[in-house]
Amino acid sequence: MKILVTGGAGFIGSAVIRLAISRGHEVINLDALTYAGCLENLASVADDPLYSFEHVDIRDRAALDRVFAAHKPQCVMHLAAESHVDRSIDGPGDFIETNITGTYNMLEAARGYWAGAGKPDDFRFHHISTDEVFGSLGATGMFTEDTPYDPRSPYSASKASSDHLVRAWHETYGLPVVLTNCSNNYGPYHFPEKLVPVVILNALAGKGIPVYGKGENVRDWLFVEDHADALLLVLEKGALGRSYNIGGENEARNIDLVRSICAILDEKRPKAGSYADQITFVQDRAGHDLRYAIDPARIRDELGWRPSVTLDEGLEKTVQWYLDNETWWRALQDRDGVGVRLGNKG
Ligand SMILES: NC(=O)c1ccc[n+]([C@@H]2O[C@H](COP(=O)([O-])OP(=O)(O)OC[C@H]3O[C@@H](n4cnc5c(N)ncnc54)[C@H](O)[C@@H]3O)[C@@H](O)[C@H]2O)c1
């Protein structure tokens, strides 16, 4: 396949590109290189003839038309977004412009290109979204694809809006779309502001390891390379107009996740005392959703997909990756405007 990936310099997009190229697909990476974009994530494929890069902002419709005309992609995987919940609380404007208006631009550019090419049957527009659109769960229950939308942060509201636009473009114009809503990802190349890297890097720096509230919020953790595998499967085999929830089958309270990371570091990088002694409880995030959990029945039963790594295995690989790749994360920590924030998503 020839795939146009938006947001390919980000955490999940770069995992998708590395996997797609290893499977012989041709990839055009379209990315504006915001504070979160990092071409170093793609160093292993940068010289591959299957890879090309377009430095383009999805808010620029004319530039999108040019990219479609120049590359003639067979399908689109749309990941470009502002992705950090805490940043959306501090400043929602970029989230509205990129996640909603940017997705509208992508849909219109894709529709124009697809219609102009005679509406080829094999064209696909895959929209990548989040389980946060469904709101918050209590102690029991799981999100299915039929759970009503109930977004509660500027980030999740902007993603919910984009999901509705994608469905509307399918119903109204017949654009061949598939959608996925996934749980919290973690793994290599995760931007240093997000929760799992914050824990690892603050622990190594001897700083406090910040945990919101009492650390009782529950997330379902998905290893990013498993997610990339699921996304390519949905692109190839997903039913048109259908959405698929993707989860890691790994629910954990934040405090338990943090303690697991500390225990792995105690083994790999021993010091006097445990890294868990650095845990510091801080004031909770405004409107902090208590629990997210994914019912993975549809993708498992219809497409035969299940995650391949457990949370313990994935965390071990992730901690080792950060220990081995200090140059990568130090460069990002030094970027303008990047403070180490708490993060619960991404
Ligand atoms: N990380 C998660 O746990 C998670 C979970 C569910 C869904 N998602 C979704 O997956 C997608 C990717 O998430 P991520 O964690 O890799 O994000 P990320 O922040 O790591 O990467 C986002 C990428 O998009 C690019 N980008 C941002 N605005 C752009 C614009 N206007 N034009 C072009 N490029 C732009 C950035 O430069 C960056 O490379 C997002 O759509 C996000 O909503 C993420």
Side-chain angles (χ1 to χ4, degrees):
M1 288 185 291
K2 187 173 189 179
I3 312 171
L4 174 63
V5 176
T6 72
F11 169 47
I12 301 172
S14 65
V16 167
I17 291 178
R18 292 189 302 270
L19 185 64
I21 286 186
S22 77
R23 291 182 181 172
H25 300 301
E26 188 176 344
V27 175
I28 306 107
N29 173 19
L30 184 159
D31 200 296
L33 300 181
T34 68
Y35 80 93
C38 185
L39 288 176
E40 290 304 309
N41 299 4
L42 294 160
S44 62
V45 297
D47 296 329
D48 195 303
L50 293 173
Y51 174 79
S52 58
F53 176 59
E54 289 280 359
H55 189 188
V56 164
D57 194 312
I58 60 170
R59 292 170 291 187
D60 181 348
R61 170 66 201 281
L64 297 181
D65 288 343
R66 180 189 62 71
V67 169
F68 273 95
H71 293 279
K72 300 183 172 43
Q74 183 187 346
C75 43
V76 176
M77 298 179 81
H78 176 40
L79 295 102
E82 289 291 338
S83 69
H84 198 303
V85 176
D86 290 336
R87 281 181 180 262
S88 84
I89 295 169
D90 293 349
D94 288 346
F95 289 71
I96 306 302
E97 288 176 16
T98 284
N99 298 2
I100 305 177
T101 309
T103 298
Y104 161 71
N105 286 336
M106 281 299 300
L107 286 165
E108 280 295 82
R111 182 168 78 94
Y113 163 72
W114 170 68
K119 302 190 174 179
D121 284 343
D122 57 354
F123 187 78
R124 290 288 177 280
F125 186 102
H126 181 177
H127 178 62
I128 285 82
S129 190
T130 167
D131 60 353
E132 298 194 29
V133 298
F134 299 123
S136 184
L137 292 165
T140 59
M142 288 183 155
F143 298 134
T144 72
E145 289 79 0
D146 298 322
T147 301
Y149 275 34
D150 183 24
R152 294 147 55 99
S153 72
Y155 165 68
S156 55
S158 69
K159 292 298 290 188
S161 304
S162 66
D163 292 10
H164 292 319
L165 290 175
V166 172
R167 284 202 179 83
W169 258 242
H170 177 65
E171 296 295 334
T172 307
Y173 305 111
L175 188 71
V177 308
V178 286
L179 299 92
T180 48
N181 296 82
C182 74
S183 58
N184 279 53
N185 284 225
Y186 69 102
Y189 300 100
H190 207 177
F191 198 76
E193 286 181 345
K194 303 289 180 90
L195 177 64
V196 169
V198 163
V199 174
I200 298 169
L201 302 183
N202 279 25
L204 291 173
K207 296 183 183 165
I209 300 171
V211 174
Y212 277 136
K214 295 178 181 163
E216 287 171 346
N217 304 70
V218 174
R219 301 292 181 259
D220 171 18
W221 292 92
L222 173 62
F223 191 59
V224 67
E225 291 169 12
D226 273 343
H227 186 203
D229 179 53
L231 291 177
L232 286 171
L233 180 68
V234 171
L235 182 71
E236 288 185 67
K237 304 267 170 61
L240 286 189
R242 203 150 171 79
S243 69
Y244 298 84
N245 285 355
I246 307 173
E249 301 182 21
N250 278 314
E251 269 190 63
R253 295 189 312 162
N254 283 349
I255 186 64
D256 297 328
L257 179 90
V258 170
R259 287 192 194 286
S260 297
I261 294 170
C262 290
I264 295 167
L265 280 170
D266 286 340
E267 288 268 315
K268 289 187 180 291
R269 190 63 69 85
K271 62 164 193 154
S274 168
Y275 289 96
D277 299 339
Q278 292 168 230
I279 293 172
T280 314
F281 294 96
V282 299
Q283 185 177 5
D284 211 350
R285 166 193 283 164
H288 201 175
D289 293 339
L290 177 66
R291 177 170 166 263
Y292 306 139
I294 289 272
D295 177 349
R298 178 177 289 178
I299 192 166
R300 184 189 61 215
D301 298 346
E302 294 184 13
L303 303 183
W305 186 85
R306 292 195 69 174
S308 74
V309 299
T310 65
L311 185 56
D312 286 343
E313 290 164 348
L315 286 178
E316 199 276 331
K317 287 184 194 210
T318 304
V319 170
Q320 190 61 53
W321 189 88
Y322 279 87
L323 290 173
D324 293 343
N325 289 277
E326 187 167 339
T327 315
W328 179 88
W329 51 261
R330 280 215 186 275
L332 292 181
Q333 281 183 324
D334 290 343
R335 272 190 183 178
D336 281 353
V338 175
V340 174
R341 290 159 176 260
L342 284 171
N344 249 5
K345 193 63 182 174

